[in-house]
Amino acid sequence: MSRPHHRMGEMVMTPYPLLIFVFILTSASVQSKPFSVLTSPYLSPSTIFPNYQNMLQNFKIFIYKPARDLSFTTPAESLFHASLLNSPFLTQNPNEAHLFFVPFPSSLSPRSISRLIRDLRVDFPYWNRTLGADHFYVSCSGIGYESDRNLVELKKNAVQISCFPTPEGKFIPHKDITLPPINPSPLPLSRLPNNKTDKTARFLGYYRRKGRDRVRSILLDELRENPEFVIEYEPSDALTYEERLANSKFCLFFYGSDDGAGIGDALRVGCVPVVITDRPIRDLPFADVLKWQEIAVFVGRDNGAAGLRKVLAAGGERRMRALGMTASRHFVWKESPEPYDSFHTVLYQLWLRRHTIRYARRELTYGDVARAPAVY
């Protein structure tokens, strides 16, 4: 039996390293429209807002009570969990829940996680109805492929919410979700410029190394020699960062090396993110919601600085800039969540995954469960 899920599109690497990634399932419709018609950053602009309102009114989540206090290792995990606990989406009645949240600390060992799932199977009827397909959990370290039955069901069936970027091999596209990174010192929204034009964008590209990153490559060294680019190996102060961000057409990020925390700032200020990668990206935040190929550029490393400059100088950044600024509200993390922010957009992706196949509502014996097909 196949598990139904929301297939909005998958990011794949083209055979040419300096071409923009495209979404397979949307590429045909994108290519068939005139360039100027693409005026929305959303994959489904006609449905996202009514669906979002429907979610606010109806979405119900049941949380299993953890055996001990939770301790998460990343700010994104902690903030998501705290926001969920204080949200109106929770229900104390599991029979009206659309999804079930399985809380466990990030440091929990695979053996302990397996015992946790085993206990849920024995003590509650909800896991067995779908073999975990209507359950979700938060783990930035991710769950690997294990032989233990409980971990296999958790990995293959339950929705994993991890951090971007997710460790390679620990993310299943179309099922799993990533949290957008939290910027520990985001630009004040009141000070962000909102009138940038091509005349004020003095630099073609800007790269700012983050505090703990150690990215240094031949590509960056080559770009540093080009006056069109500003390459910082040592992080600048906040005011300099703000000024350079506001005066650059493109902002560079290395997938898997940078933590991507500045992508939200780049989008809000109108600096088009350029994600440099040498492998496919399948774990982009909000992949079910945003048309990433319209708000960011994805390039390979192979053609060096000259090839990168050629791609960025091709034009089109003005339209991408406007779409990115529209999409930027989904990258805002706040202790008190607000509409369409990161927390609510993650919940919206869970809402899209609420349609799961349920077995008949009756008491299932162990033999029934053993014979039931896996839900993928």
Side-chain angles (χ1 to χ4, degrees):
M1 183 180 297
S2 297
R3 178 195 173 186
H5 45 249
H6 192 71
R7 297 182 67 90
M8 296 300 297
E10 180 177 357
M11 299 293 291
V12 297
M13 187 66 138
T14 69
Y16 306 100
L18 282 170
L19 292 181
I20 299 176
F21 285 90
V22 296
F23 281 84
I24 292 178
L25 298 183
T26 60
S27 60
S29 61
V30 170
Q31 293 172 0
S32 64
K33 296 180 181 179
F35 193 71
S36 60
V37 172
L38 301 173
T39 58
S40 171
Y42 299 109
L43 286 169
S44 301
S46 63
T47 62
I48 179 174
F49 298 107
N51 281 349
Y52 179 87
Q53 293 302 319
N54 191 15
M55 176 196 75
L56 293 181
Q57 296 173 13
N58 298 296
F59 198 15
K60 297 299 180 184
I61 296 172
F62 179 81
I63 299 182
Y64 294 106
K65 185 177 180 180
R68 59 179 65 88
D69 292 338
L70 297 181
S71 176
F72 293 105
T73 58
T74 67
E77 290 174 298
S78 298
L79 188 51
F80 173 81
H81 183 249
S83 299
L84 182 61
L85 291 179
N86 294 319
S87 76
F89 300 104
L90 301 189
T91 178
Q92 299 300 318
N93 180 6
N95 292 318
E96 70 175 13
H98 297 93
L99 294 179
F100 296 78
F101 178 49
V102 183
F104 54 84
S106 304
S107 58
L108 202 63
S109 67
R111 177 178 294 183
S112 297
I113 296 174
S114 176
R115 286 199 298 265
L116 171 62
I117 301 303
R118 180 201 62 194
D119 292 342
L120 294 183
R121 185 195 308 281
V122 173
D123 297 339
F124 301 93
Y126 313 110
W127 182 276
N128 293 333
R129 294 194 309 222
T130 64
L131 302 184
D134 53 1
H135 289 56
F136 70 96
Y137 62 97
V138 177
S139 175
C140 279
S141 57
I143 301 295
Y145 289 93
E146 307 283 351
S147 59
D148 178 272
R149 173 196 175 177
N150 297 311
L151 292 177
V152 167
E153 289 184 4
L154 181 67
K155 172 69 175 181
K156 289 189 174 182
N157 300 339
V159 178
Q160 173 182 279
I161 301 180
S162 53
C163 295
F164 176 78
T166 305
E168 191 169 7
K170 294 190 175 182
F171 183 88
I172 300 178
H174 312 301
K175 178 181 75 68
D176 295 340
I177 297 171
T178 52
L179 299 171
I182 292 180
N183 191 341
S185 54
L187 292 180
L189 296 179
S190 60
R191 289 168 44 195
L192 291 178
N194 56 14
N195 60 348
K196 182 166 71 174
T197 66
D198 288 337
K199 291 182 180 180
T200 61
R202 295 187 289 116
F203 307 113
L204 180 61
Y206 173 45
Y207 174 80
R208 183 199 195 206
R209 199 190 80 175
K210 315 311 179 287
R212 67 173 183 274
D213 292 329
R214 294 294 180 265
V215 175
R216 181 157 186 160
S217 67
I218 295 176
L219 175 60
L220 288 179
D221 289 338
E222 291 177 352
L223 291 175
R224 203 175 190 185
E225 301 299 320
N226 188 329
E228 293 180 292
F229 290 84
V230 175
I231 306 299
E232 294 181 359
Y233 283 138
E234 298 299 327
S236 57
D237 60 77
L239 290 178
T240 302
Y241 170 55
E242 179 180 349
E243 188 273 335
R244 288 177 173 173
L245 197 70
N247 285 284
S248 300
K249 294 182 179 180
F250 297 94
C251 292
L252 311 182
F253 300 90
F254 283 80
Y255 174 70
S257 298
D258 295 333
D259 59 12
I263 289 180
D265 279 345
L267 289 170
R268 285 195 295 275
V269 80
C271 189
V272 178
V274 177
V275 182
I276 302 169
T277 178
D278 54 7
R279 62 184 175 93
I281 301 179
R282 297 186 175 94
D283 61 340
L284 286 168
F286 312 138
D288 302 313
V289 177
L290 296 176
K291 196 179 296 182
W292 270 96
Q293 75 272 25
E294 297 302 317
I295 63 173
V297 177
F298 299 84
V299 301
R301 304 185 186 212
D302 295 350
N303 288 7
L308 175 61
R309 186 198 175 282
K310 183 177 180 180
V311 170
L312 301 188
E317 73 278 354
R318 179 180 296 182
R319 179 185 55 83
M320 297 183 75
R321 176 186 309 148
L323 295 179
M325 293 177 75
T326 300
S328 66
R329 60 177 166 175
H330 302 292
F331 291 82
V332 176
W333 280 104
K334 287 192 173 182
E335 293 185 2
S336 298
E338 59 184 32
Y340 300 104
D341 65 0
S342 291
F343 171 72
H344 282 93
T345 309
V346 170
L347 263 290
Y348 178 73
Q349 289 189 282
L350 288 173
W351 173 250
L352 295 178
R353 288 158 171 76
R354 74 194 184 280
H355 296 299
T356 58
I357 294 177
R358 292 180 180 273
Y359 298 111
R361 288 180 178 270
R362 61 181 177 83
E363 289 299 323
L364 299 178
T365 66
Y366 179 81
D368 289 327
V369 175
R371 290 190 296 271
V375 182
Y376 295 102

